[in-house]
Amino acid sequence: MTDAADSPASPTVPAAAGSRGRAAGPGATPRRAPARRPPDRKERILDAAAVLFRDRGYHNVSVADVAGAVGITAPALYRHFRGKPDLLARVVDRTVDTIAASTAAAPDLDTYLGTAAGHSIERRGAAVLWQREARHLPDEQRERERHVLSAAAGSLGGLIGAERPELPTADRTLLAWAVLSVLGSISWHRTSLPRRRFEEVMRGLATAAARCELGTPGGGDPTAEGENATREPGAYAALALSRREEILGAALRLFDERGFQSVSTDDIGEAAGASGPSIYKHYPTKTDLLIAGVVRAGEQRRAGTARALEGPGTPFETLERLLRSYVDFALGHTRLIGILLAELDQLPDKERRSALQAQREYLALWGRLFGEARPGTDPAEGRIVVSAVLTVVDNAVRTGRLGARADLGDRLVEVGLALLRAG
C-alpha cells in the first residue's frame, strides 16, 4: 500500500478559473491535505529492519520487506536510507551505541545490573544483530563497532573493579564480558517469563557473573601470550593436515568470518592455497563443506558429552562435567561454534532438520540435568539459565583478548558454575 505522504507531489492550491478542472467554489469538495510524514519514521524503519534481520538473516531480507513492514513503499524508504547495506550499518550502530551508553551512564555496579536486566528484555535480539549480522558490514565499520563494544566492556569492568579492587584488570574484563553475554543470551532463544520474574532472573544471573569468585590463574599470567595476541581458532592446528582438511579448515574460517552466502569457492581456494576448481575434487559443492563442518561439530560435541555422562556422582557433579566438556569443545572448535550459531539455516532441509534436532536434544539434556540438580525450578527458568551459561562460553572463546588467556577454560568453568548455582 502506498503511503500518501510518499506519493508524487500534487498541487495543494485550487485550480485557477479557466484551467483544466473546476475551480474551488461554494459547494465544491475541498481538497484533502496530504498526509504528514510521521516524525519518527526513520526509527520505525530501523526497528522493522532490526526485527527482520534478526529473524530472517540479512541476506534473506529485501528493502521491500522492510518497507512493507512499516507500511510504506520502497522508494519512500530510500528517502531515509541509501539501501540495505546502509540500513544494516545503522541498525548495528544503534545497537552497539545503546549498549555502550548504558554502561557509561551507570554510576555503580548495582545500578547497572538493576537497569540492564530490563533493557536486555526490551532490546531482545540485539546480540544476534552484532554477532551474526555485523559480519556483513565493511571492515572499517566492523572495527569501529568492536572498539565501541570493547569500551563498553571496559566501562563495565571499571564498575566491577570499583566494587572489587583486588581483581586484576584481566579478570575484571573477563567478568564484564560475561555479564554482557548473560544479558545478550536471551537473543538466541524465545523462552520467556512474566516480566517481573524475567527481570529478576536476568538480574540474578548478571549479578552472579559480576561477582563470581575466580581462582588463581593456571599456567601463569593469564595474558602471558600477549594482550593483543591472536590464536587462530579451530581444531586443525595440531594435526598434520591433508589437502582435504586444509580446504575444510579454510572454508570453516571464511564461513565464520563472512557468512556462508558471502564466500565463494574461489575465496576458499585462495585461502587454502588451491584453485577454486580443485576444491571440487574433494567436495562437490560449497554446501558439502558446510555439511562436513556441522557434522564434525556434532561428532566432537557428542564425544565430549558421552565422556561427561560416564562418571558417577550427583546431578550437579554430572552437570559440572558436562560444562567442562563444553568448554573444552568450544576452546578447540571456535569456528565450528560460530557456524552452529549462525549458519544452520544455510543447510539443505534434511541436514538442517538433523542439526536442529541435535541442538534441541543437547539443550534438553542440559535442562534435564539442571532440573535434577535444582529440583523445583521452573523449566522455563532452567532454559534461560542454561542458555546464559552456554552463551558466556561461546562468546568468551571467540573474543580475541579473552581467547589469549592460558587459563580461560578454568575461569569459564567457574563462571558457568556460578550461573548454575544462581539460577
Side-chain angles (χ1 to χ4, degrees), residues 32 101 159 215 258 287 290 319 372 415:
R32 178 178 296 176
L159 297 178
R258 304 181 194 175
T287 300
L290 179 61
L319 197 59
E372 293 174 0
V415 174

Side-chain angles (χ1 to χ4, degrees), residues 358-401:
Q359 290 277 61
R360 285 191 289 267
E361 291 173 355
Y362 187 66
L363 293 174
L365 170 63
W366 272 87
R368 187 174 73 251
L369 285 174
F370 182 77
E372 293 174 0
R374 304 294 301 272
T377 302
D378 182 331
E381 292 186 18
R383 290 192 294 272
I384 292 170
V385 173
V386 167
S387 177
V389 172
L390 299 181
T391 302
V392 167
V393 176
D394 291 343
N395 289 354
V397 301
R398 293 164 55 75
T399 299
R401 179 174 295 188

